[in-house]
């Protein structure tokens, strides 16, 4: 019998060949270290446009009338506090185009090892600069935490977060830091600590738990448009922005397409969108959790 020639079509999105990008070595690194940093996926012009889109968001200029209160940490202009807007994709078309993109979805699918990817939620995060003398200022800190520590009401512990740098980012401007390999430590107690400010205290608390490795604190040094992808159990956090420019990023929290509701004492703003009679096993699917991969026309 004549064998049929099978030639798979390469997955090329926004000019990026996903098959060439996500090699076995990349998968090995992601699963060994709990995160992986991509080359530039967005150019400087796109990064500048997305910074402007974020500035519009903070000015309250929204592209829809949907409510912004689900997961917002809004602060007065001039405050050194971190600003955070979850579900920014409802409010800004430019941001949504990126945070729900097939490009990130296809990469997320490969890293998680799943066929289908939906957005769990996205975030726009803005960390004001407090200048070089602001080292004692804790307001810009984002506490060591595990993303899944906030998401215990979902069935997927292996979600993948894409953190998109909108300017060159390093320790000076409060870039993200990850604890290498910490995804292998399992879910730590009370690790829903994004909003905590005492990085040293949190480190001591987590290091007192049963962690099975060294505390290796590694900065994610990124050029504008590079993306860091991390596992939902990887500990990460960040310190103050000691420049005078804001540190901005977009974050896309991606989940396997079959993720469902798992009742837990912990509440999450996403649960509202399941409706009043949410039941165990109910899929997080539909317009609030758009499918990113494969793309739907
Ligand atoms: O922006 C940061 O420094 C932390 C972001 C974060 O917690 C995340 O991407 O899950």
């Amino acid at each position: 019998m004549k064998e049929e020639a099978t030639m798979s079509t390469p997955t090329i999105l926004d000019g990026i060949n996903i098959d060439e990008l996500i090699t076995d070595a990349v998968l090995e690194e992601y699963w060994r270290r709990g995160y992986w940093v991509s080359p530039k996926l967005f150019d400087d012009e796109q990064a500048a446009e997305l910074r402007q889109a974020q500035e519009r968001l903070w000015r309250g200029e929204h592209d829809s009338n949907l409510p912004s209160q689900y997961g917002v940490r809004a602060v007065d202009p001039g405050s050194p506090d971190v600003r955070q807007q979850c579900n920014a994709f409802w409010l800004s078309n430019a941001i949504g185009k990126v945070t729900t993109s097939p490009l990130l979805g296809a990469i997320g699918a490969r890293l998680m090892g799943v066929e289908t990817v939906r957005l769990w939620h996205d975030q726009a995060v803005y960390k004001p600069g407090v200048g070089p003398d602001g080292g004692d200022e804790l307001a810009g800190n984002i506490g060591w935490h595990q993303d899944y520590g906030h998401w215990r009401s979902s069935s997927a512990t292996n979600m993948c977060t894409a953190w998109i740098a909108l300017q060159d980012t390093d320790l000076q401007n409060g870039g993200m830091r990850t604890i290498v390999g910490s995804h292998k430590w399992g879910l730590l107690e009370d690790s829903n600590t994004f909003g905590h400010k005492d990085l040293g205290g949190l480190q001591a608390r987590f290091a007192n738990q049963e962690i099975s490795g060294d505390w290796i604190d590694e900065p994610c040094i990124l050029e504008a448009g590079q993306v860091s992808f991390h596992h939902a159990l990887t500990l990460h956090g960040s310190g103050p922005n000691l420049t005078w420019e804001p540190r901005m990023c977009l974050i896309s929290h991606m989940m396997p397409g079959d993720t469902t509701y798992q009742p837990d004492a912990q509440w999450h703003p996403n649960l509202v969108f399941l409706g009043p009679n949410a039941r165990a096993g109910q899929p997080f699917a539909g317009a609030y959790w758009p499918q990113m991969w494969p793309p739907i026309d």
Side-chain angles (χ1 to χ4, degrees), residues 123 125 127 142 145 147 161 163 174-176 194 230 236-238 247 249 251 253:
Q123 297 188 49
V125 173
K127 189 185 286 199
I142 293 178
H145 66 281
D147 289 342
T161 290
W163 193 100
M176 190 169 63
F194 178 103
H230 65 256
H236 56 289
S238 57
R247 188 218 75 173
C249 65
I251 300 171
H253 298 300

Side-chain angles (χ1 to χ4, degrees), residues 91 95 141 170 193 203 215 230 233 238:
L91 308 172
I95 289 177
N141 286 5
D170 57 20
T193 36
Q203 175 180 348
W215 185 274
H230 65 256
L233 291 173
S238 57

Side-chain angles (χ1 to χ4, degrees), residues 26-42:
V26 165
L27 293 176
E28 190 276 330
E29 180 177 331
Y30 177 80
W31 283 98
R32 180 168 45 84
R33 290 164 50 77
Y35 85 108
W36 169 71
V37 173
S38 80
K40 252 167 124 76
L41 300 183
F42 305 97

Side-chain angles (χ1 to χ4, degrees), residues 241-280:
N241 173 1
L242 301 177
T243 70
W244 291 115
E245 296 300 321
R247 188 218 75 173
M248 286 188 246
C249 65
L250 295 176
I251 300 171
S252 192
H253 298 300
M254 299 180 280
M255 62 179 167
D258 58 0
T259 304
T260 58
Y261 171 47
Q262 173 175 280
D264 185 278
Q266 191 190 62
W267 191 77
H268 187 278
N270 269 8
L271 300 184
V272 172
F273 315 130
L274 289 175
N277 301 311
R279 53 182 167 71

